[in-house]
Each structure stands twice: as structure tokens, then as C-alpha cells.
Amino acid sequence: MGEIFARGVPLYAKTTKYPDIGWVRGSIIHDDESHSMYIVELIKVGDLFVTTNLIPVHNHSVGKKAGITDKMAHDIYENDIIQIELAHATVEGLVIFKSGSFGVFSKGHFTTFVDILSLSRDILILGNIYDNPNLYKEEYNFI
């Protein structure tokens, strides 16, 4: 354990213990028996990450970290909706993990971040499908 690998929204987001909590970040634990998901919250202490809490999260809110940042230096996660400025077009899409790679799905096509980054580094997070369901478009359907 060490790096933040995922994020999720706690089941008990408005409690006395976590009154202002939104997203928690850490490592994912999936309980096969109960089909529940947890984030092991990590806090950086010096050069080390220390486990602090095991937080139950909404399964559909969990997204893995894609390993890149947008132009505002925000980490990009699975289920983010992003905008990419290309030379002759602006493309929006949904960040997904498919066939062993993170990438963007839009208008029926999946493009890996390796391919996207060879064309543009001008990427902006518009929101995510959990906090901003109004941003989700039919063209992002990949199932």
C-alpha cells in the first residue's frame, strides 16, 4: 500500500464522525460475500502512507485512479467526464478502464490515454457521473 488508487463516496457521508465528507481516497476492498465496497483511507505521514479508516462506500461511486492529471493538476479517475482539446476539435467522453487500459469512451469509440496524450495534453475534468449525472450523455454508453 502507498499510493491513492481509488475514490468513493461514503455510505454515511453526513454523520457526526464525518460531517463535511465528500469523497474519500485510498485503496479499494471488495467484500465478495456482502458485495460491499470499502475504501481504506490513507494519510501521508512524512514519506509513508498510514491506514486510518475502513470506510464503506457506495459501490457505484468507486472509481480507480487513471494515473494522469488534467491541465489543472487534478487526478483523473474512472467515471470522470473529461474534455480534450485537439487541434481541430473538442471531444468529451467518459473515463473507463477497458482491456487493461484507461481511456475515454465517446461516440461509440474507446481511445486509450496513451493515444490521447500523443495528440493533446489539454485535458479538463468537467465532472463525474456520480456528482454530475446531468453531464452524462447517451454516447458514453459502452455496454
Side-chain angles (χ1 to χ4, degrees):
M1 219 182 297
E3 190 177 333
I4 306 300
F5 295 114
R7 69 176 180 197
V9 174
L11 289 175
Y12 315 108
K14 300 287 183 189
T15 65
T16 20
K17 187 173 180 183
Y18 304 105
D20 300 317
I21 203 161
W23 292 87
V24 291
R25 289 165 175 79
S27 296
I28 304 170
I29 294 178
H30 182 263
D31 182 347
D32 291 332
E33 190 174 308
S34 69
H35 303 289
S36 299
M37 294 187 87
Y38 301 87
I39 296 288
V40 178
E41 191 177 38
L42 305 171
I43 293 177
K44 191 166 186 177
V45 178
D47 291 336
L48 301 173
F49 283 90
V50 179
T51 302
T52 59
N53 295 305
L54 181 65
I55 302 169
V57 293
H58 293 280
N59 291 12
H60 60 281
S61 75
V62 174
K64 295 182 276 303
K65 187 174 171 180
I68 65 169
T69 58
D70 73 354
K71 64 184 180 181
M72 305 301 285
H74 297 126
D75 288 322
I76 295 175
Y77 288 85
E78 188 176 23
N79 298 321
D80 278 345
I81 297 168
I82 62 172
Q83 177 180 318
I84 305 157
E85 291 289 334
L86 301 170
H88 303 290
T90 300
V91 177
E92 289 181 11
L94 179 67
V95 176
I96 64 170
F97 187 78
K98 179 180 175 186
S99 302
S101 296
F102 280 100
V104 177
F105 194 87
S106 182
K107 297 183 181 175
H109 300 285
F110 174 75
T111 307
T112 67
F113 277 125
V114 171
D115 292 335
I116 290 167
L117 293 174
S118 70
L119 300 172
S120 176
R121 296 208 179 262
D122 193 356
I123 301 171
L124 181 65
I125 299 169
L126 300 176
N128 63 70
I129 61 174
Y130 189 82
D131 287 334
N132 316 99
N134 58 313
L135 293 177
Y136 188 84
K137 299 176 182 173
E138 274 305 305
E139 65 190 46
Y140 302 158
N141 289 340
F142 59 93
I143 297 175

